[in-house]
Amino acid sequence: MKPLSEINYKEIGLKVGLEIHQQLNTAAKLFCNCKPELFKEEPEITFLRRLRPTQSELGQVDPAAYFEFQKGVKILYEANRATSCLVEMDEEPPHPLNREAVDVALTAALMMKAKPIDEIHVMRKTVIDGSNTTGFQRTCVIALGGKIEVGEKTVPIEHVSLEEDAARKTGEEEGNIIRYRIDRLGIPLIEVATAPVIKSPAEAGEVALAIGRILRATGKVIRGLGTIRQDINISIPNGALMEIKGLQELEQLPLVVEYEVRRQLNLIGISEELRKIGANKEEIGDEFFDVTDVFRQTKCKVIRKAVDKGQRVLAVKLPRFGGFLKRELAPDFRLGTEMADRARFWGKVGGIFHTDEMPAYGITQEEIEELGKAVKAGKQDAVVFVGDTPENARDALKAVVERAREAIDGVPQETRAPNPDGTSRYMRPRPGSARMYPETDIPPTQITEEYVSVVRSRLPELPEQRLERLAKEYKLNEKLARQVLDSEHSELFEVVVKESNISPTTVAAFMTETLKALKRDGVQVEKVSNDQIREIFKGISLGAMTKEAIPEIVTWLSKHENKTVQDAVSSIGLRMLSREELERIVDSTIERNKNMIIERGANSFGPLVGMVMKDVRGKADAALVSELVKEKLEQMKKRHSTDEDSVFYR
Ligand SMILES: [Zn+2]
């Protein structure tokens, strides 16, 4: 496989477009009055629905939806009363479009110089996986044709839309039941779609970051993992347009793009080689062989289990595919992995076996030879086999055959989902174009010129302007200013600086580095409220505690919900030491370290302050400690200078 550095993205003609989805922190959901929140407890209500293939008005049925319907997949929806009502359950028509959400979307759209449309029309977009109780997702365009500046580049924004978020999957059980929790269903999402002008993985990351900053600048987004999700459209010439849906980790975006490019380049290479050696689609037959007898005595646990259950082992020959299934498309990701993903999706099997990875998993060379004879495979062929119910095994092998035929053509168009390691897996075929039709339950909403000018008159400052202002107004260096801009506590920073007398650099370092470090150490800093953080800094301003105590206070508060900063201070015993108490500690530290002082003279000042601070951390101000240490050393020096034997301060 080509190392990353060897891929010249410009030369290969990479094109990437992004669709960024961000949850909005509005008072209510998009089409009802429920709170846009998730719940952790056991559900109060559950209801079972059969997944039905939704038909668009043009009469098209999604093949994947129809397939799931045939399999009799049922959905168990979970809900509670605080986060959902009859609207989410599809028992009551949607309420009118949430105006607060429109406000936020319009604000973001204007910041991206997009042109608002005159009238908002809510549309239905077919959803096939049960994540919407209605079988469709409601979406509406708010503005078209914007642009943002990212470094030197102008990136066109195709549209800014509002959508309802989908239910979230909470489990999948045997017997074809999928669990979805509908608390997330209906949370407003703003969608920002760029034109496919991004030319490299790094640029994709920068564009996503820039859009994220603009959305956060509205002050109305929900924070935390899963609240922002990105769909990535990737294409290269001779490859295929691929959609990777639902990436949550922004930092991973460049890697996902890189791996997808590698995957497509490698698939193109495989297709060329296959054709060169004469592989053709007609040669790959739908003939499946029952090879259960070959594995009667097998030591392979998975196959053993299937055979013991009375299931079958079915196999198919892939002519001239020998060696190709183990080809890496991305790190630890092979053509065989692609076939297994397809088999899992269409056959509901746990996985597949193939001869490119044999002997392994307890399967012996003898069994492989028997298998080859049974399906009449030669050395140049690959054999794929699977143990399951005859129906599932057949569906799985059909999917494998389909994928093998596509490998001869090149790169199949797919919708994919990201894996945690940056690779992606098959999600479903690319849907046809006719997926949208009008939502008849919701009347259109006007966007008047007056309304637009009101929103325009109170636009927040753009991230780049804000960055400049933060650096200038608070004398932060560029790195720290940027960290503040991107931090979750960006707004809080300015509030705290204004109401305390602590230096902006100290506050900024807390909001960025200290909180990050605590989080890394496993402290749940998100449990500490903004008001509590303000209280802490007010306390430091008033001299009630020192800034060295901040990490301890935040840690305590994160573990004690509904307690105050005052509670934290008294519980930790963070009372500030009096000058007298502090003096005693300094004296005893000096006494204990007499030898060191005699030996090192003036150079002992630093270590002494360090030792005292370690003892009094959080209970005394560092400036006072060094003042006292200095004073005591001076006194000591004076005493000793009258003494003939003095070795002090030589
Ligand atoms: Zn509701």
Side-chain angles (χ1 to χ4, degrees):
M1 197 170 15
K2 273 188 177 182
L4 289 187
S5 54
E6 281 182 26
I7 297 181
N8 181 335
Y9 292 99
K10 217 173 241 165
E11 205 169 85
I12 62 165
L14 171 66
K15 278 190 196 161
V16 179
L18 298 176
E19 267 178 37
I20 302 212
H21 303 88
Q22 165 77 62
Q23 289 179 348
L24 299 184
N25 192 10
T26 44
K29 286 186 178 180
L30 198 53
F31 297 109
C32 67
N33 275 326
C34 296
K35 276 201 174 329
E37 281 172 7
L38 306 182
F39 70 94
K40 292 191 198 98
E41 303 77 31
E42 287 297 303
E44 294 170 358
I45 308 156
T46 58
F47 53 102
L48 199 63
R49 297 266 167 90
R50 185 153 186 218
L51 194 68
R52 46 176 196 252
T54 39
Q55 216 166 19
S56 76
E57 291 205 331
L58 295 172
Q60 287 190 333
V61 174
D62 193 298
Y66 189 68
F67 169 80
E68 300 252 293
F69 166 73
Q70 277 184 315
K71 289 249 166 188
V73 173
K74 289 195 180 97
I75 313 282
L76 185 73
Y77 291 106
E78 307 171 332
N80 76 359
R81 286 180 180 82
T83 61
S84 48
C85 64
L86 292 173
V87 173
E88 287 92 333
M89 295 173 197
D90 194 26
E91 301 283 357
E92 185 186 302
H95 304 184
L97 187 58
N98 177 340
R99 286 308 291 240
E100 189 191 2
V102 175
D103 266 18
V104 182
L106 197 54
T107 302
L110 293 175
M111 289 175 81
M112 291 185 258
K113 302 188 175 64
K115 192 177 173 305
I117 55 163
D118 302 332
E119 209 171 60
I120 304 171
H121 292 269
V122 178
M123 305 290 284
R124 295 174 171 184
K125 188 155 66 175
T126 304
V127 166
I128 58 163
D129 57 4
S131 62
N132 286 61
T133 48
T134 50
F136 54 80
Q137 178 189 31
R138 298 186 184 95
T139 176
C140 51
V141 175
I142 301 293
L144 296 166
K147 58 178 182 188
I148 57 165
E149 309 297 328
V150 182
E152 302 289 294
K153 191 175 177 128
T154 301
V155 178
I157 300 297
E158 290 186 335
H159 64 90
V160 176
S161 300
L162 264 180
E163 293 190 336
E164 55 181 356
D165 204 346
R168 58 191 173 111
K169 205 182 213 176
T170 43
E172 205 158 342
E173 286 154 40
E174 269 188 68
N176 281 338
I177 287 187
I178 307 173
R179 282 171 178 271
Y180 277 104
R181 195 162 278 206
I182 61 172
D183 48 4
R184 202 178 70 177
L185 180 60
I187 292 183
L189 282 180
I190 188 169
E191 181 192 62
V192 178
T194 76
V197 297
I198 296 162
K199 301 274 167 65
S200 74
E203 201 173 83
E206 286 159 22
V207 171
L209 194 64
I211 293 172
R213 280 187 185 131
I214 291 176
L215 297 181
R216 282 198 300 276
T218 64
K220 277 285 177 184
V221 302
I222 302 182
R223 307 275 194 157
L225 187 68
T227 61
I228 189 160
R229 297 191 296 275
Q230 338 203 19
D231 295 352
I232 315 158
N233 294 301
I234 306 178
S235 69
I236 58 175
N238 302 322
L241 178 61
M242 209 64 58
E243 189 180 22
I244 301 179
K245 277 181 96 71
L247 178 71
Q248 300 191 0
E249 305 268 7
L250 180 82
E251 304 75 44
Q252 256 199 339
L253 180 56
L255 188 68
V256 171
V257 175
E258 264 166 25
Y259 282 178
E260 178 55 22
V261 170
R262 287 219 237 176
R263 194 182 71 90
Q264 293 204 20
L265 288 175
N266 285 315
L267 283 174
I268 293 168
I270 287 175
S271 128
E272 283 164 2
E273 282 181 58
L274 278 169
R275 276 181 285 181
K276 206 178 282 171
I277 59 169
N280 67 75
K281 287 193 269 182
E282 289 68 40
E283 214 177 22
I284 309 171
D286 275 324
E287 195 187 351
F288 303 149
F289 298 83
D290 188 328
V291 293
T292 315
D293 284 342
V294 174
F295 297 101
R296 284 275 170 225
Q297 308 300 327
T298 192
K299 298 227 157 50
C300 170
K301 278 184 198 152
V302 178
I303 302 243
R304 172 89 264 143
K305 215 171 131 193
V307 173
D308 287 349
K309 269 202 266 182
Q311 297 178 332
R312 314 302 297 175
V313 184
L314 298 189
V316 68
K317 176 171 81 167
L318 302 178
R320 298 175 215 271
F321 269 72
F324 284 97
L325 272 58
K326 65 179 171 196
R327 284 288 189 86
E328 262 200 347
L329 307 177
D332 206 22
F333 185 94
R334 301 169 167 78
L335 182 57
T337 319
E338 296 249 304
M339 291 178 170
D341 284 344
R342 290 285 187 94
R344 270 191 282 270
F345 181 84
W346 294 100
K348 304 283 172 209
V349 297
I352 57 170
F353 294 95
H354 59 79
T355 44
D356 269 9
E357 54 181 1
M358 294 296 147
Y361 309 112
I363 295 167
T364 61
Q365 188 59 37
E366 292 69 46
E367 284 168 326
I368 290 307
E369 276 160 26
E370 281 301 303
L371 175 70
K373 272 185 219 152
V375 305
K376 303 181 194 71
K379 267 208 150 59
Q380 73 283 14
D381 305 326
V383 181
V384 177
F385 53 106
V386 59
D388 210 301
T389 65
E391 192 203 350
N392 283 357
R394 250 195 312 273
D395 285 337
L397 291 186
K398 264 189 219 163
V400 167
V401 164
E402 171 82 12
R403 184 65 193 82
R405 288 181 180 145
E406 290 167 351
I408 297 175
D409 282 340
V411 188
Q413 279 203 7
E414 294 167 336
T415 301
R416 300 177 68 85
N419 290 325
D421 67 356
T423 60
S424 63
R425 65 184 179 278
Y426 178 79
M427 207 170 151
R428 55 171 184 257
R430 289 272 293 167
S433 54
R435 289 172 70 223
M436 295 256 241
Y437 48 108
E439 165 62 84
T440 43
D441 286 335
I442 302 167
T445 308
Q446 309 290 326
I447 301 187
T448 62
E449 273 177 40
E450 293 73 37
Y451 177 37
V452 172
S453 56
V454 169
V455 176
R456 199 185 291 283
S457 71
R458 42 161 215 238
L459 284 188
E461 58 188 336
L462 282 170
E464 283 309 306
Q465 296 165 345
R466 178 133 199 267
L467 182 67
E468 221 169 274
R469 188 175 58 77
L470 285 173
K472 215 166 126 189
E473 199 171 319
Y474 302 104
K475 299 192 173 54
L476 301 178
N477 63 40
E478 204 204 311
K479 185 179 167 229
L480 203 51
R482 200 167 274 286
Q483 282 178 342
V484 169
L485 182 73
D486 286 334
S487 113
E488 285 183 32
H489 298 92
S490 187
E491 286 77 34
L492 184 62
F493 163 77
E494 295 197 61
V495 174
V496 166
V497 168
K498 286 195 174 106
E499 63 187 17
S500 73
N501 60 11
I502 318 293
S503 88
T505 305
T506 303
V507 180
F510 164 76
M511 301 280 179
T512 57
E513 282 143 28
T514 310
L515 285 182
K516 213 184 277 172
L518 286 172
K519 219 171 187 172
R520 235 186 346 254
D521 293 343
V523 178
Q524 290 177 290
V525 294
E526 61 280 355
K527 290 202 169 153
V528 182
S529 73
N530 285 356
D531 285 343
Q532 288 178 319
I533 291 173
R534 286 169 61 186
E535 284 304 311
I536 294 172
F537 280 96
K538 276 186 207 161
I540 300 168
S541 286
L542 296 170
M545 58 191 111
T546 69
K547 60 177 196 268
E548 285 76 16
I550 297 176
E552 216 175 333
I553 297 174
V554 169
T555 305
W556 192 90
L557 286 171
S558 75
K559 290 180 194 151
H560 299 82
E561 274 179 274
N562 304 322
K563 295 279 183 179
T564 65
V565 174
Q566 204 46 54
D567 295 334
V569 171
S570 39
S571 165
I572 306 169
L574 277 182
R575 186 182 57 82
M576 292 287 276
L577 295 169
S578 69
R579 193 183 168 97
E580 290 68 36
E581 287 168 312
L582 200 52
E583 261 180 85
R584 275 201 294 279
I585 293 171
V586 172
D587 282 339
S588 79
T589 308
I590 287 182
E591 187 59 38
R592 278 203 313 275
N593 292 283
K594 237 179 186 154
N595 289 341
M596 190 259 293
I597 296 167
I598 289 166
E599 205 170 289
R600 297 175 64 174
N603 289 336
S604 60
F605 173 74
L608 284 171
V609 172
M611 279 182 260
V612 176
M613 282 309 291
K614 212 170 146 199
D615 282 348
V616 303
R617 182 155 293 276
K619 298 184 209 171
D621 188 59
L624 181 59
V625 170
S626 37
E627 186 192 308
L628 285 177
V629 171
K630 201 169 166 193
E631 214 170 83
K632 298 281 173 189
L633 283 178
E634 286 295 330
Q635 287 169 9
M636 195 173 170
K637 186 179 163 191
K638 267 186 209 142
R639 271 203 314 275
H640 281 266
S641 59
T642 56
D643 183 345
E644 294 254 313
D645 299 329
S646 171
V647 279
F648 191 68
Y649 275 113
R650 312 184 262 207

